[in-house]
Protein backbone atom coordinates (compact mmCIF):
# COMPACT_ATOMS: atom_id res chain seq x y z
CA UNK A 1 0.00 0.00 0.00
CA UNK A 2 1.25 3.48 -0.86
CA UNK A 3 1.72 5.89 1.99
CA UNK A 4 -0.09 9.24 1.68
CA UNK A 5 2.25 12.00 2.68
CA UNK A 6 1.43 15.36 4.22
CA UNK A 7 2.48 17.03 1.01
CA UNK A 8 -0.14 14.94 -0.90
CA UNK A 9 -2.82 15.83 1.66
CA UNK A 10 -2.10 19.55 1.27
CA UNK A 11 -2.14 19.21 -2.53
CA UNK A 12 -5.56 17.51 -2.48
CA UNK A 13 -6.85 20.07 0.04
CA UNK A 14 -6.06 22.82 -2.46
CA UNK A 15 -6.91 21.10 -5.78
CA UNK A 16 -10.35 19.66 -4.89
CA UNK A 17 -11.85 23.02 -3.82
CA UNK A 18 -10.21 24.74 -6.82
CA UNK A 19 -11.68 22.10 -9.17
CA UNK A 20 -15.14 22.51 -7.60
CA UNK A 21 -14.86 26.28 -7.90
CA UNK A 22 -13.84 25.99 -11.58
CA UNK A 23 -16.73 23.58 -12.29
CA UNK A 24 -19.16 26.00 -10.63
CA UNK A 25 -17.75 28.90 -12.61
CA UNK A 26 -17.78 27.12 -16.02
CA UNK A 27 -21.04 25.19 -15.67
CA UNK A 28 -23.45 27.23 -13.62
CA UNK A 29 -22.11 30.76 -14.09
CA UNK A 30 -21.54 30.39 -17.85
CA UNK A 31 -25.13 29.19 -18.29
CA UNK A 32 -26.40 32.11 -16.22
CA UNK A 33 -24.27 34.48 -18.31
CA UNK A 34 -25.79 33.12 -21.54
CA UNK A 35 -29.29 33.52 -20.13
CA UNK A 36 -28.51 37.09 -19.11
CA UNK A 37 -27.16 37.89 -22.58
CA UNK A 38 -30.30 36.42 -24.19
CA UNK A 39 -32.58 38.43 -21.91
CA UNK A 40 -30.55 41.58 -22.59
CA UNK A 41 -30.95 41.03 -26.33
CA UNK A 42 -34.71 40.60 -25.97
CA UNK A 43 -34.97 43.70 -23.79
CA UNK A 44 -33.07 45.81 -26.32
CA UNK A 45 -35.49 44.73 -29.06
CA UNK A 46 -38.48 46.06 -27.12
CA UNK A 47 -39.70 49.61 -27.56
CA UNK A 48 -39.74 52.01 -24.69
CA UNK A 49 -42.96 52.99 -22.98
CA UNK A 50 -42.74 56.48 -24.47
CA UNK A 51 -42.25 55.16 -28.04
CA UNK A 52 -44.97 52.49 -27.86
CA UNK A 53 -47.93 54.59 -29.19
CA UNK A 54 -45.87 55.80 -32.16
CA UNK A 55 -44.57 52.27 -32.94
CA UNK A 56 -48.08 50.83 -32.69
CA UNK A 57 -49.47 53.48 -35.04
CA UNK A 58 -46.67 52.75 -37.57
CA UNK A 59 -47.37 49.01 -37.42
CA UNK A 60 -51.11 49.61 -37.96
CA UNK A 61 -50.37 51.80 -41.02
CA UNK A 62 -48.14 49.12 -42.53
CA UNK A 63 -50.83 46.49 -41.89
CA UNK A 64 -53.51 48.64 -43.53
CA UNK A 65 -51.27 49.26 -46.54
CA UNK A 66 -50.59 45.52 -46.88
CA UNK A 67 -54.34 44.77 -46.77
CA UNK A 68 -55.02 47.39 -49.45
CA UNK A 69 -52.29 45.90 -51.63
CA UNK A 70 -53.77 42.43 -51.16
CA UNK A 71 -57.23 43.63 -52.17
CA UNK A 72 -55.79 45.34 -55.26
CA UNK A 73 -54.03 42.09 -56.27
CA UNK A 74 -57.28 40.16 -55.85
CA UNK A 75 -59.06 42.54 -58.24
CA UNK A 76 -56.56 41.91 -61.07
CA UNK A 77 -58.09 39.35 -63.45
CA UNK A 78 -56.32 36.03 -63.91
CA UNK A 79 -54.41 35.73 -67.21
CA UNK A 80 -56.01 33.62 -69.89
CA UNK A 81 -54.60 30.13 -70.17
CA UNK A 82 -52.58 29.60 -73.34
CA UNK A 83 -52.71 25.82 -73.07
CA UNK A 84 -55.72 23.63 -73.55
CA UNK A 85 -55.19 20.75 -71.18
CA UNK A 86 -57.16 18.92 -68.57
CA UNK A 87 -55.16 18.33 -65.38
CA UNK A 88 -57.08 15.07 -64.91
CA UNK A 89 -55.78 13.55 -68.18
CA UNK A 90 -54.13 10.18 -67.65
CA UNK A 91 -50.68 9.40 -69.00
CA UNK A 92 -52.19 7.23 -71.73
CA UNK A 93 -54.44 10.06 -72.88
CA UNK A 94 -51.51 12.47 -73.01
CA UNK A 95 -49.45 10.01 -75.02
CA UNK A 96 -52.31 9.40 -77.42
CA UNK A 97 -52.60 13.16 -78.09
CA UNK A 98 -48.84 13.45 -78.66
CA UNK A 99 -48.81 10.45 -81.00
CA UNK A 100 -51.72 11.94 -82.94
CA UNK A 101 -49.77 15.18 -83.43
CA UNK A 102 -46.80 13.20 -84.78
CA UNK A 103 -49.06 11.23 -87.14
CA UNK A 104 -50.82 14.38 -88.36
CA UNK A 105 -47.40 15.79 -89.24
CA UNK A 106 -46.68 12.73 -91.42
CA UNK A 107 -44.26 11.02 -89.04
CA UNK A 108 -44.09 7.35 -88.04
CA UNK A 109 -43.47 6.59 -84.38
CA UNK A 110 -41.23 3.53 -84.04
CA UNK A 111 -41.28 3.44 -80.23
CA UNK A 112 -41.62 5.40 -77.01
CA UNK A 113 -40.47 5.10 -73.42
CA UNK A 114 -40.37 7.03 -70.15
CA UNK A 115 -37.12 8.89 -69.57
CA UNK A 116 -35.53 9.15 -66.14
CA UNK A 117 -32.73 11.31 -64.77
CA UNK A 118 -29.69 11.77 -66.98
CA UNK A 119 -27.06 13.48 -64.84
CA UNK A 120 -25.96 16.98 -65.87
CA UNK A 121 -28.89 17.71 -68.17
CA UNK A 122 -31.40 16.54 -65.58
CA UNK A 123 -31.63 19.88 -63.71
CA UNK A 124 -32.24 21.77 -66.94
CA UNK A 125 -34.75 19.21 -68.16
CA UNK A 126 -36.68 19.26 -64.88
CA UNK A 127 -37.37 22.97 -65.35
CA UNK A 128 -39.74 22.13 -68.21
CA UNK A 129 -41.58 19.63 -66.01
CA UNK A 130 -41.76 22.16 -63.18
CA UNK A 131 -43.16 24.70 -65.63
CA UNK A 132 -45.96 22.33 -66.62
CA UNK A 133 -46.65 21.67 -62.95
CA UNK A 134 -46.71 25.42 -62.18
CA UNK A 135 -49.34 26.08 -64.86
CA UNK A 136 -51.66 23.60 -63.18
CA UNK A 137 -52.24 21.78 -66.47
CA UNK A 138 -50.09 18.79 -65.49
CA UNK A 139 -49.82 18.09 -61.75
CA UNK A 140 -47.56 15.10 -62.50
CA UNK A 141 -45.65 15.79 -65.74
CA UNK A 142 -44.02 12.87 -67.54
CA UNK A 143 -40.90 12.97 -69.68
CA UNK A 144 -41.10 10.60 -72.68
CA UNK A 145 -38.72 9.77 -75.48
CA UNK A 146 -40.11 8.94 -78.93
CA UNK A 147 -38.20 7.25 -81.73
CA UNK A 148 -39.58 8.72 -84.94
CA UNK A 149 -39.06 8.04 -88.64
CA UNK A 150 -39.51 11.06 -90.89
CA UNK A 151 -37.99 14.09 -92.51
CA UNK A 152 -36.80 17.26 -90.78
CA UNK A 153 -39.64 19.47 -92.13
CA UNK A 154 -42.15 16.99 -90.69
CA UNK A 155 -40.45 17.17 -87.28
CA UNK A 156 -40.75 20.96 -87.38
CA UNK A 157 -44.37 20.59 -88.43
CA UNK A 158 -45.09 18.35 -85.41
CA UNK A 159 -43.47 20.85 -83.06
CA UNK A 160 -45.61 23.61 -84.58
CA UNK A 161 -48.72 21.45 -84.02
CA UNK A 162 -47.94 21.37 -80.31
CA UNK A 163 -47.93 25.16 -80.28
CA UNK A 164 -50.89 25.70 -82.63
CA UNK A 165 -53.11 23.22 -80.78
CA UNK A 166 -52.01 24.77 -77.48
CA UNK A 167 -51.08 21.34 -76.16
CA UNK A 168 -49.48 20.96 -72.74
CA UNK A 169 -46.32 19.50 -74.32
CA UNK A 170 -42.83 20.95 -73.96
CA UNK A 171 -40.17 19.56 -76.31
CA UNK A 172 -36.99 18.86 -74.36
CA UNK A 173 -34.65 17.39 -76.97
CA UNK A 174 -34.73 16.69 -80.71
CA UNK A 175 -31.85 14.60 -81.95
CA UNK A 176 -31.09 12.93 -85.26
CA UNK A 177 -29.76 9.38 -84.98
CA UNK A 178 -26.22 9.24 -86.37
CA UNK A 179 -26.73 5.93 -88.18
CA UNK A 180 -29.86 6.88 -90.12
CA UNK A 181 -30.78 10.22 -91.69
CA UNK A 182 -34.52 9.80 -91.22
CA UNK A 183 -34.61 8.42 -87.66
CA UNK A 184 -35.06 10.93 -84.82
CA UNK A 185 -35.25 10.88 -81.05
CA UNK A 186 -37.67 13.44 -79.64
CA UNK A 187 -38.02 13.90 -75.88
CA UNK A 188 -41.01 15.83 -74.58
CA UNK A 189 -42.61 16.68 -71.26
CA UNK A 190 -46.32 16.00 -71.31
Amino acid sequence: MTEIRTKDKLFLAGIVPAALLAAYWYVWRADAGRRMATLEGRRSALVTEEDFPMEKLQAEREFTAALAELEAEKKIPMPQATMKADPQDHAASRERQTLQAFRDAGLTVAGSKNVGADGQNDAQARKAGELLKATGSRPFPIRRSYTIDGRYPDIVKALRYFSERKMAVIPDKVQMRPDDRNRWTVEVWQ
Side-chain angles (χ1 to χ4, degrees):
M1 176 169 236
T2 306
E3 182 180 336
I4 299 178
R5 300 175 294 178
T6 308
K7 184 175 162 181
D8 295 332
K9 289 179 186 176
L10 288 175
F11 179 72
L12 289 174
I15 290 296
V16 170
L20 290 173
L21 183 62
Y24 163 77
W25 192 262
Y26 286 113
V27 175
W28 191 81
R29 289 285 285 176
D31 187 43
R34 278 192 299 264
R35 280 185 280 152
M36 287 297 291
T38 303
L39 290 174
E40 180 62 31
R42 288 163 110 190
R43 186 187 69 77
S44 67
L46 297 174
V47 295
T48 62
E49 195 172 325
E50 297 83 28
D51 292 339
F52 181 75
M54 184 175 62
E55 292 289 332
K56 182 180 176 188
L57 185 62
Q58 177 66 24
E60 287 174 348
R61 284 186 195 144
E62 289 174 5
F63 179 70
T64 305
L67 282 178
E69 187 178 334
L70 176 65
E71 290 301 319
E73 286 290 326
K74 285 182 179 179
K75 290 179 182 177
I76 295 174
M78 292 294 287
Q80 295 294 325
T82 57
M83 285 190 266
K84 296 178 183 176
D86 183 10
Q88 303 300 322
D89 279 348
H90 295 287
S93 174
R94 297 185 223 172
E95 184 172 9
R96 191 174 332 122
Q97 293 169 3
T98 305
L99 290 173
Q100 187 61 44
F102 287 138
R103 285 188 198 107
D104 289 349
L107 299 167
T108 304
V109 178
S112 69
K113 63 180 179 179
N114 283 342
V115 180
D118 65 346
Q120 293 176 330
N121 297 332
D122 189 45
Q124 183 68 25
R126 267 186 287 180
K127 288 181 182 178
E130 294 298 321
L131 181 63
L132 280 176
K133 190 184 289 188
T135 63
S137 61
R138 295 289 182 243
F140 303 104
I142 299 169
R143 185 175 170 197
R144 292 197 58 85
S145 174
Y146 294 94
T147 303
I148 298 174
D149 292 328
R151 300 176 311 122
Y152 176 76
D154 295 334
I155 295 287
V156 173
K157 190 176 179 182
L159 297 176
R160 281 196 185 124
Y161 276 178
F162 293 147
S163 176
E164 291 168 0
R165 294 178 182 178
K166 300 184 190 291
M167 295 175 65
V169 175
I170 298 177
D172 187 37
K173 179 171 38 171
V174 178
Q175 179 180 11
M176 179 187 276
R177 295 270 178 107
D179 56 338
D180 192 357
R181 287 181 43 153
N182 289 327
R183 178 140 299 184
W184 299 82
T185 299
V186 179
E187 290 182 12
V188 296
W189 282 92
Q190 55 189 24

